[in-house]
Amino acid sequence: MKILSQGAAKRLTRNLAIGVVAVGLLASFAPASATAKPIGGDDTVTVGEKHIKTSSAESGGTPEDAWICTALQKVDLPHISSTASVRAVQAHGAWNKGDCQSDAAVVTTQIDRQGFLNNFFAVGTQGKGTLQSTNGMPSGSNNRVTAQYVCQGTGQGRFRAWTDVDVIGIADLPNKVYSAETNIACG
């Protein structure tokens, strides 16, 4: 176990507090009717730290002085690939920059399979790449990453996928967006 220095512990505490504030701010802007998620998934993620201008902070800064960047993470529903040379489950990830300044992000997508104890664990090959911001889920291989799990048979399995977006040039939280769970004949 690594012991943190006092300075590192203070930074970690500050960053965790910033993450909680950012999540609270996002939740406060969600419409009351937004209870159902679409199949597949996309979700807003807050990236960057909360910054209050020095002059405003000294005079009791307000939330209007806070800077938070939001981007949209995207993942589609795991499905049997129509293009792979073998029977395989695939899921795709992409992103949209929202109001972030950067046009590029490292996007990671992973397929999880449900185990005998109802826990999910990573399977197959993770999709990861530096992508440009895009609207919607692009088709083909441009501006999306592909995670893949090669089937070992045709028995039923329960799968989900997730995507994590790390906007280049901005420190962000390790938020992930998860797809809905789905049953697929892929042992």
Side-chain angles (χ1 to χ4, degrees), residues 34-59:
T35 55
K37 286 235 182 240
I39 292 180
D42 50 329
D43 199 7
T44 301
V45 60
T46 300
V47 295
E49 293 187 25
K50 179 179 178 183
H51 296 284
I52 296 180
K53 299 173 190 171
T54 306
S55 59
S56 298
E58 292 169 355
S59 62

Side-chain angles (χ1 to χ4, degrees), residues 76 92 94 134-146:
D76 66 357
H92 309 284
T134 183
N135 292 321
M137 181 65 72
S139 60
S141 60
N142 292 337
N143 278 342
R144 70 179 187 177
V145 295
T146 301

